[in-house]
Amino acid sequence: MVRNDTAPKKGFLMPVWQLFVSVRLTVLVLLAIAVAAAIGTVIPQNQTDLFYRMNFSDTSYRIFSALDLFDLYHSLWFQALILVLAINIVACSIDRLRIVWKIVFPGTISFSPGAFTEKNTTDPVTVHAAPETLKEPFQKELKKHCRTTRLEETTDGFYLFGEKGRLSRLGVYVVHFSVLLLLCGTLASSITGFEGTVKIPEGEKARTINLKDTGTEKPLDFVIRCDDFEVSFYDSGSPKKFRSTLSIIENGEVALTKDILVNKPLHYKGISIFQSTYGAASVKSATLSFTSKKSGMVYRKTLSFGQSVELPENLGTFTLNRLADRYMFREQHDLGQTLIGTIKKGGNIQTVALPLRFDKFDKMRQNAGTVITIDNISRTYYTGLQVRRDPGVPIVYASFILMIVGIYITFFMSHQRFCIHARALEGHTAVTVAARANKNRIAARKKAASISRTLSQITS
């Protein structure tokens, strides 16, 4: 990103151009982005409005909110910084590219012996053969190391030139382009990306999600339906695995059906749907045991809500009515979720409460001919999904790969040029090898010494 001072300086746009090709602008923008990132670390991002009002004073809240510091990475000013940095990189690259382009893609390839200094020239070696007989074997040997070679004859011998690695001068531009891709990916995610959550009970569907950033609803271009949900547990009661069977419905037709697990999402039209959480939406049915106090017989029945069953031994008719989220025992103790039912016997109706946490609670019921316990509960679950669209991810991955390639070209490859000078002496030929390189010159000199040693062993 070195500025080309030979560029024309006329025109009213030149001050703007000089601003954007300035390395000083690059440093300032990078510092601003670093400061923004530090602020985004100190101030929690994308929390609720209540959270910020509780943790900041009214003045701080108003200032931070006006500057979009609570959602900094989606703010217009942060996106503007990214855009300015991208323009700066493009301008610097264009400003320098004209010179580099002429080196990499010259109209005609020419070599000048004067461009090679004595400092980078090997000591002369003697070859016992005439220069005329050495042209072909020397050129064959040099082609092993260089893509391009050229022979120029002199009155007493010849010059043989070779070079390789012209394209390595473009390595820095590969790095520049990878940074641009990274910035483009960041902007794409910041402007068009989103992340939200939705809870869908089994058999139901949803078309909107709650955005993580603001909590507002965002409509999707398709419908997500939860066809089935399955959860298994360890002996300790903690969940072992939970799976959702989801269908994507678009234009009234099922476009895709897939089972998703944790870390195995569903992908559809750039949107990823992850299995995030789950919970009990409702109880479908309950398996109850009715124990007769008189005979000791146990009768097991499975009922849905609103269903009634006649009990043997003239114990009455039991009806499972509903599931209460809370049940206050003697108006003092909250027993949590409780099945509420009734037993009708003759003209008497008695209410029965069966807390899910206390399976033998019904033993305390007075004037009861039967004791009811809960054997099993069949629940309807909801699946908690994380819905994310991040269009910048593939762009960022591509930029990282390209950056590694560019760094390798920039630091581990070089544009190397070699000049073999063969000069006839009395009865033999004196040979020297000179080297030039735009970087890593020590390696080029070692290569020249290696070529010199090989040439000294050639006799004809």
Side-chain angles (χ1 to χ4, degrees):
M1 294 187 290
V2 179
R3 194 179 71 182
N4 179 15
D5 292 332
T6 63
K9 298 184 179 180
K10 296 181 179 180
F12 68 94
L13 290 178
M14 187 50 59
V16 178
W17 175 257
Q18 290 178 342
L19 171 65
F20 278 101
V21 298
S22 170
V23 177
R24 184 177 300 176
L25 177 64
T26 308
V27 174
L28 291 176
V29 174
L30 288 176
L31 285 175
I33 292 175
V35 171
I39 293 173
T41 303
V42 174
I43 300 177
Q45 298 292 294
N46 303 319
Q47 301 295 319
T48 62
D49 187 69
L50 179 62
F51 172 86
Y52 293 121
R53 290 185 180 276
M54 291 179 61
N55 288 274
F56 296 99
S57 65
D58 291 341
T59 302
S60 298
Y61 173 83
R62 287 194 296 269
I63 295 174
F64 293 168
S65 180
L67 295 175
D68 279 339
L69 297 186
F70 299 142
D71 191 13
L72 184 150
Y73 301 110
H74 291 88
S75 64
L76 290 177
W77 63 267
F78 184 81
Q79 294 170 359
L81 284 176
I82 299 297
L83 185 60
V84 170
L85 181 59
I87 296 174
N88 177 238
I89 292 174
V90 171
C92 289
S93 299
I94 293 175
D95 193 54
R96 182 65 178 169
L97 183 60
R98 184 175 60 176
I99 298 175
V100 177
W101 193 266
K102 290 181 179 180
I103 297 174
V104 177
F105 302 105
T108 57
I109 298 176
S110 61
F111 297 95
S112 173
F116 296 86
T117 63
E118 293 184 3
K119 179 181 178 181
N120 295 323
T121 303
T122 62
D123 295 330
V125 295
T126 300
V127 180
H128 296 284
E132 292 77 10
T133 63
L134 297 176
K135 295 177 183 178
E136 184 176 346
F138 275 23
Q139 194 165 14
K140 184 177 179 180
E141 176 61 28
L142 188 59
K143 284 184 177 179
K144 294 179 181 179
H145 306 281
C146 301
R147 291 191 59 183
T148 303
T149 61
R150 180 175 175 178
L151 180 69
E152 291 188 7
E153 296 185 1
T154 63
T155 56
D156 59 349
F158 61 87
Y159 283 104
L160 183 60
F161 299 95
E163 73 169 341
K164 67 174 184 177
R166 280 183 180 270
L167 292 178
S168 66
R169 290 180 176 270
L170 297 176
V172 66
Y173 294 98
V174 176
V175 175
H176 285 188
F177 185 66
S178 69
V179 174
L180 285 176
L181 278 183
L182 179 62
L183 298 178
C184 288
T186 302
L187 282 176
S189 296
S190 177
I191 296 172
T192 65
F194 61 82
E195 182 177 347
T197 58
V198 62
K199 296 179 180 179
I200 310 176
E202 290 180 83
E204 297 188 22
K205 51 193 176 182
R207 196 185 187 101
T208 61
I209 61 173
N210 295 316
L211 291 178
K212 178 181 177 181
D213 299 338
T214 61
T216 58
E217 287 192 349
K218 177 178 178 60
L220 301 175
D221 295 332
F222 50 84
V223 173
I224 307 173
R225 185 179 68 197
C226 179
D227 297 327
D228 186 36
F229 181 85
E230 180 182 342
V231 60
S232 58
F233 299 90
Y234 291 103
D235 294 337
S236 62
S238 59
K240 182 179 182 181
K241 181 178 71 172
F242 43 101
R243 171 193 58 80
S244 297
T245 301
L246 303 181
S247 288
I248 303 298
I249 303 174
E250 191 170 15
N251 298 324
E253 297 182 357
V254 176
L256 176 66
T257 298
K258 183 179 179 180
D259 289 350
I260 68 168
L261 302 166
V262 176
N263 298 325
K264 291 185 178 180
L266 179 152
H267 302 284
Y268 185 74
K269 291 189 174 181
I271 294 178
S272 300
I273 303 175
F274 296 85
Q275 179 70 71
S276 176
T277 184
Y278 74 96
S282 62
V283 173
K284 291 192 292 187
S285 62
T287 300
L288 307 177
S289 290
F290 300 86
T291 303
S292 172
K293 287 187 176 181
K294 183 177 181 181
S295 65
M297 293 294 294
V298 178
Y299 306 100
R300 185 172 286 105
K301 304 290 183 181
T302 300
L303 299 94
S304 302
F305 290 112
Q307 185 178 356
S308 300
V309 61
E310 292 286 341
L311 302 177
E313 300 183 30
N314 196 28
L315 295 176
T317 301
F318 177 80
T319 302
L320 184 61
N321 295 322
R322 61 188 177 89
L323 174 68
D325 291 332
R326 300 178 61 194
Y327 181 78
M328 299 301 297
F329 178 60
R330 293 178 180 173
E331 299 183 355
Q332 295 180 350
H333 306 286
D334 185 4
L335 302 183
Q337 287 190 320
T338 302
L339 294 175
I340 305 297
T342 55
I343 292 181
K344 183 178 180 181
K345 185 177 180 182
N348 297 323
I349 298 178
Q350 189 176 26
T351 299
V352 178
L354 303 173
L356 303 188
R357 290 160 45 196
F358 307 101
D359 56 350
K360 298 181 180 180
F361 179 81
D362 192 52
K363 285 186 176 181
M364 296 187 294
R365 181 163 51 91
Q366 299 178 354
N367 302 320
T370 180
V371 175
I372 307 173
T373 57
I374 301 173
D375 286 352
N376 185 45
I377 295 291
S378 178
R379 296 179 179 272
T380 297
Y381 288 91
Y382 68 80
T383 179
L385 305 176
Q386 183 184 53
V387 183
R388 181 190 307 165
R389 184 178 186 272
D390 196 348
V393 169
I395 302 176
V396 170
Y397 285 162
S399 72
F400 284 149
I401 295 173
L402 199 61
M403 186 176 294
I404 292 172
V405 173
I407 290 174
Y408 178 82
I409 295 173
T410 301
F411 292 100
F412 295 95
M413 298 178 66
S414 63
H415 180 197
Q416 297 180 348
R417 284 171 282 188
F418 301 95
C419 176
I420 301 173
H421 183 199
R423 183 165 55 92
L425 297 177
E426 296 180 359
H428 63 275
T429 301
V431 179
T432 58
V433 182
R436 287 188 65 190
N438 66 325
K439 54 181 177 288
N440 199 3
R441 296 178 177 83
I442 294 176
R445 288 197 291 267
K446 288 182 178 179
K447 176 67 71 174
S450 175
I451 294 174
S452 177
R453 288 191 297 268
T454 303
L455 297 180
S456 67
Q457 299 172 8
I458 296 176
T459 57
S460 61

